[in-house]
Amino acid sequence: MLDLFPTSSVHIKRIGSSDAHRGSDALMTLSNWLDNHESYYPSIRRWFNDKVVPDLKTGRRIGYLGFQGEAPVLAAVLKQGEKSKFCHLSISEGFQGNKLGQLMFCLMAAEVRHLSKEVHFTLPESLWEREKGFFRSFGFESVEISSIQYRLFDQELRCSVSFPKMWSRIVDRLPMLLTGAAIAGFQINDGIVLSVHRNHAESIMKGHKTVEVRRRFTSRWIGRSASVYAAGGSGCLLGTVKIADVVQGSPDKIWRAFESELCCSRQDFDRYAGNRSHVFALRLRDPVPYEAPVSLSQLSHLLGQDLRPPQSYSAHSLTDVWGRALSVAALLHSNFSAFPRSTIRHSLESN
């Protein structure tokens, strides 16, 4: 779920094999949307029926629809493979800007990350001239006349980029795209990665364990998001939780106040607190789990940079390696709803 700016948001629906096999309402809406482009892409209806629908059934292609409320405002079609293709992306006139366009490029690239060595699309020459700064920011600098001319009255160009180059641009820009917004509830601002024993980390994400104790901590993180890292074994990120409060006190005071919320025995608590005069109780709320754990090895591979597991907790910024890692984790585990009301105006068409 891509949920940016809760008011005036755009919810993204993914259209796949089951939609194509049963002729779902979403598939019909996508077909009707594309029909509106018939005046300047005269073969688009045949393309949809003869190529898109069969490929949706096999999983070779994926469709997307964006809705504000019940009204469609965005449509996209993606073809997967070693040479992946952004076949179509169009966004309603009233949803202009550039963040939505950027996020759709990121979303489609993440979809093909396991297969793609190259990404390409075709577009009218006038659009390239108007928005080439946008496309170049993703690495699309190779432009040539397309061997097939899809559009009336405007020469069609083919743009391409190697997938590694495009992905590196995406990794660098994602944290800033998600500043002040959230994908699936995951907001990327300055925060911390909190290392927790695997069993306790899972309990936190289920909402059972609502207090975590630290020997050292600071109240500066009150109200901020913490990413929960499950320590032990291969190590993985489970999601995020909000630090609602930080209470400092003696171990006895903390135990009496939060015994039922700590989800541990007094023996384990005393073993951790030792002979310290005070410890810190982190009161946690609003856990937002990923759809599946995200291993550090997977994130290291996607970033092209080793991630070191935090010991107790590790602060991160938007632009450091953990900021980039958390933005990629959010993108991978979104379930396609809610983009903000801001887009780049463009329409890409291809076969």
Side-chain angles (χ1 to χ4, degrees):
M1 180 170 60
L2 302 177
D3 205 350
L4 308 175
F5 309 123
T7 60
S8 191
S9 61
V10 176
H11 299 268
I12 305 298
K13 176 174 175 56
R14 188 178 187 271
I15 301 171
S17 177
S18 64
D19 293 283
H21 280 289
R22 60 190 172 86
S24 70
D25 289 346
L27 184 75
M28 294 302 101
T29 300
L30 179 61
S31 176
N32 293 336
W33 177 283
L34 294 174
D35 282 350
N36 293 328
H37 297 263
E38 187 83 20
S39 60
Y40 47 91
Y41 285 98
S43 62
I44 196 168
R45 184 176 300 175
R46 187 170 68 250
W47 168 72
F48 181 77
N49 292 329
D50 294 350
K51 294 187 176 182
V52 175
V53 173
D55 282 353
L56 286 172
K57 290 179 179 178
T58 64
R60 189 184 183 199
R61 295 196 204 229
I62 299 166
Y64 306 90
L65 279 172
F67 295 88
Q68 186 186 44
E70 299 297 320
V73 297
L74 171 153
V77 178
L78 167 67
K79 182 163 71 174
Q80 304 185 89
E82 285 194 2
K83 293 186 175 182
S84 296
K85 209 168 200 177
F86 292 177
C87 305
H88 177 93
L89 173 59
S90 58
I91 301 167
S92 290
E93 190 80 10
F95 289 72
Q96 296 169 12
N98 58 24
K99 184 170 282 190
L100 182 53
Q102 292 182 59
L103 285 167
M104 284 303 300
F105 267 42
C106 294
L107 180 62
M108 291 191 288
E111 192 90 59
V112 301
R113 69 189 185 279
H114 297 303
L115 299 172
S116 185
K117 295 181 179 178
E118 176 194 279
V119 175
H120 64 281
F121 56 81
T122 68
L123 79 172
E125 185 175 20
S126 59
L127 175 59
W128 169 259
E129 291 300 324
R130 187 170 70 246
E131 303 289 359
K132 58 188 173 184
F134 169 85
F135 298 116
R136 283 174 171 166
S137 72
F138 282 94
F140 288 96
E141 297 174 353
S142 175
V143 182
E144 59 188 11
I145 297 174
S146 174
S147 59
I148 302 175
Q149 294 294 304
Y150 303 100
R151 186 181 178 101
L152 295 175
F153 317 121
D154 204 343
Q155 183 164 254
E156 199 87 7
L157 303 179
R158 184 186 188 276
C159 303
S160 63
V161 65
S162 71
F163 184 81
K165 182 175 183 179
M166 183 181 189
W167 186 253
S168 70
R169 301 287 181 92
I170 287 171
V171 168
D172 287 342
R173 73 171 51 197
L174 259 180
M176 297 308 297
L177 281 175
L178 302 183
T179 303
I183 285 185
F186 306 113
Q187 191 168 8
I188 313 301
N189 289 314
D190 294 351
I192 63 170
V193 181
L194 191 64
S195 181
V196 186
H197 187 276
R198 181 64 181 253
N199 291 339
H200 290 313
E202 292 174 351
S203 184
I204 287 172
M205 298 316 301
K206 292 175 182 176
H208 299 157
K209 179 177 171 65
T210 56
V211 173
E212 174 69 7
V213 173
R214 283 294 181 268
R215 296 174 183 133
R216 294 183 298 276
F217 207 71
T218 171
S219 60
R220 66 171 288 200
W221 300 113
I222 294 175
R224 306 298 288 275
S225 177
S227 297
V228 178
Y229 172 76
S234 59
C236 57
L237 291 166
L238 300 186
T240 65
V241 69
K242 182 163 287 187
I243 300 173
D245 198 7
V246 176
V247 179
Q248 180 179 346
S250 68
D252 280 342
K253 177 183 175 182
I254 295 300
W255 176 260
R256 288 195 303 271
F258 302 112
E259 174 184 357
S260 63
E261 300 171 73
L262 287 165
C263 293
C264 70
S265 68
R266 180 64 193 255
Q267 183 179 12
D268 288 340
F269 177 84
D270 288 342
R271 186 181 298 116
Y272 178 80
N275 59 0
R276 283 170 171 74
S277 61
H278 63 269
V279 291
F280 298 85
L282 285 57
R283 305 190 70 177
L284 309 175
R285 63 178 175 86
D286 301 335
V288 183
Y290 294 129
E291 291 183 350
V294 189
S295 70
L296 255 61
S297 59
Q298 178 189 17
L299 286 174
S300 294
H301 171 72
L302 291 172
L303 292 172
Q305 184 175 354
D306 286 338
L307 280 169
R308 294 186 177 182
Q311 296 304 310
S312 174
Y313 71 95
S314 176
H316 69 81
S317 70
L318 281 171
T319 56
D320 66 15
V321 63
W322 271 109
R324 296 196 300 276
L326 295 171
S327 65
V328 169
L331 182 67
L332 298 185
H333 292 271
S334 62
N335 60 356
F336 308 108
S337 83
F339 276 114
R341 187 171 181 166
S342 63
T343 77
I344 186 165
R345 182 197 311 178
H346 59 239
S347 177
L348 310 175
E349 300 284 356
S350 176
N351 67 345

